[in-house]
Amino acid sequence: MAIHSVTKRFGILTAGGDCPGLNAAIRGVCRAAHDRYGMEIIGIANGFRGLINEDTKILHPEDFSGILTRGGTILGSSREKPFAPVDKDELASTKVSAIKETYSRLGLDCLVVLGGNGTNTTGCKLSREGLNVIGLPKTIDNDIAGTDRTFGFHSALAIGTEAIDRLHSTAQSHSRIIVIELMGNKAGWLALYAGVAGGGDVILIPEIPYDLKAIARHLEKRAKSGKTFSIVVVAEGAMSIEEASMEKKERKKYRSDNGPSTGYRIAREIEEKTGMETRATVLGYVQRGGIPSASDRVLATSLGTAAADLLAADKYGRMVALLGNEIGSVDLSVPEGKVKNVPADHFMIDTAKAVGTCMGE
């Protein structure tokens, strides 16, 4: 017999970039909601676009069975931002109205959104528009405020670390410097952790603007000590001291003129500065694909079942979160419009420095 639930019917969607663990989270929400609480579930296709266009269907147990280990998302995703201006003068009120109409027409008691910073920010704004919303934090960047870890991060960390491990043998065989670029446009969690796990000799993250002279000195010192190769781990959003002093538009133009990406630019600068043969590898979307790690399966499932509990208890306007070693929740306003950056005094930065890693300073 199902346990009493205030929520009878809810919609669920995934938005933003895909990442390992989304299907595990969908399964966690849906199985607990259906089996424990007897709720009806409406799957919404392709993120908020599915709400705008009313592209939905009722989800039955067979739809969310056997998806625990599957990568991607069975619901599809998009980067639709309903609150973004249609043009510089017109607000996107039409899209928001369409979402509210679909929500009402479907008879939803709540909307569950699985996504990153943008998705949970949109969820918070929709809650202010009168919709009941619950958020789940997913991103390989681990940069959502309010949770100690996001699902997707551990899987991407494992992929990034394996890539660094593999590059070691090539770098050593050819006595080269190899630069590997990982994702992390605004926060350097992934590059920092993968860099430490993979024994990176230099780690560059957005939070610490780098000095190319300091990097060159470190690499030359390694070469003089008989170490014939080096690995430089770079977050895609890493920037030099000079870039950090630029306005956003100026920095964007500089990067466009000196592309094709941060990793290639830094590799070119290192070779010009040191004269040492340098190559670049950009891991790209490989980091986001494939099956979730065991850790992410556990976290995503736990967050999913916790979301079902919030639904049943009429606790809307929340984002489920890992808080220490416990699964809890925070107000949706906590992650709204924020990025969880690596603090300057974070223990992992000190750990990296303590084992001789150059952080670009």
Side-chain angles (χ1 to χ4, degrees), residues 236-250:
E236 62 181 317
M239 66 182 79
S240 65
I241 294 172
E242 292 75 20
E243 284 180 279
S245 67
M246 297 176 185
E247 294 292 331
K248 188 175 181 180
K249 286 185 178 179
E250 183 186 3

Side-chain angles (χ1 to χ4, degrees), residues 243 246-258:
E243 284 180 279
M246 297 176 185
E247 294 292 331
K248 188 175 181 180
K249 286 185 178 179
E250 183 186 3
R251 183 163 59 245
K252 186 175 181 181
K253 183 179 185 305
Y254 172 81
R255 291 190 167 197
S256 177
D257 293 342
N258 292 274

Side-chain angles (χ1 to χ4, degrees), residues 162-200:
E162 182 182 356
I164 295 169
D165 290 346
R166 290 175 179 271
L167 289 173
H168 265 94
S169 57
T170 293
Q172 186 174 26
S173 297
H174 295 275
S175 299
R176 288 173 177 164
I177 296 170
I178 292 189
V179 176
I180 177 169
E181 180 187 312
L182 302 182
M183 286 184 173
N185 188 38
K186 295 180 180 179
W189 296 101
L190 185 57
L192 177 60
Y193 274 67
V196 171

Side-chain angles (χ1 to χ4, degrees), residues 23 26-28 30-31 35 59-70 74:
N23 284 324
I26 293 168
R27 173 180 174 271
C30 294
R31 291 201 66 161
D35 298 351
L59 295 184
H60 300 287
E62 56 268 27
D63 294 313
F64 45 83
S65 177
I67 64 172
L68 174 65
T69 62
R70 194 186 304 179
I74 62 167

Side-chain angles (χ1 to χ4, degrees), residues 36-65:
R36 177 180 282 182
Y37 297 111
M39 299 181 206
E40 188 174 19
I41 307 158
I42 305 298
I44 299 162
N46 303 319
F48 294 105
R49 188 179 298 162
L51 271 179
I52 294 168
N53 300 327
E54 200 169 337
D55 186 0
T56 66
K57 73 168 188 174
I58 296 175
L59 295 184
H60 300 287
E62 56 268 27
D63 294 313
F64 45 83
S65 177

Side-chain angles (χ1 to χ4, degrees), residues 177 201-202 212-230 270 273-276 353-358 361:
I177 296 170
D201 304 299
V202 178
L212 188 64
K213 293 179 182 177
I215 296 170
R217 283 196 301 269
H218 182 77
L219 295 174
E220 288 167 347
K221 182 179 178 181
R222 280 179 53 81
K224 288 176 182 176
S225 69
K227 296 175 180 176
T228 60
F229 71 96
S230 293
I270 287 173
K273 194 73 175 176
T274 65
M276 291 185 276
K353 292 178 178 178
V355 294
T357 304
C358 172
E361 300 172 290

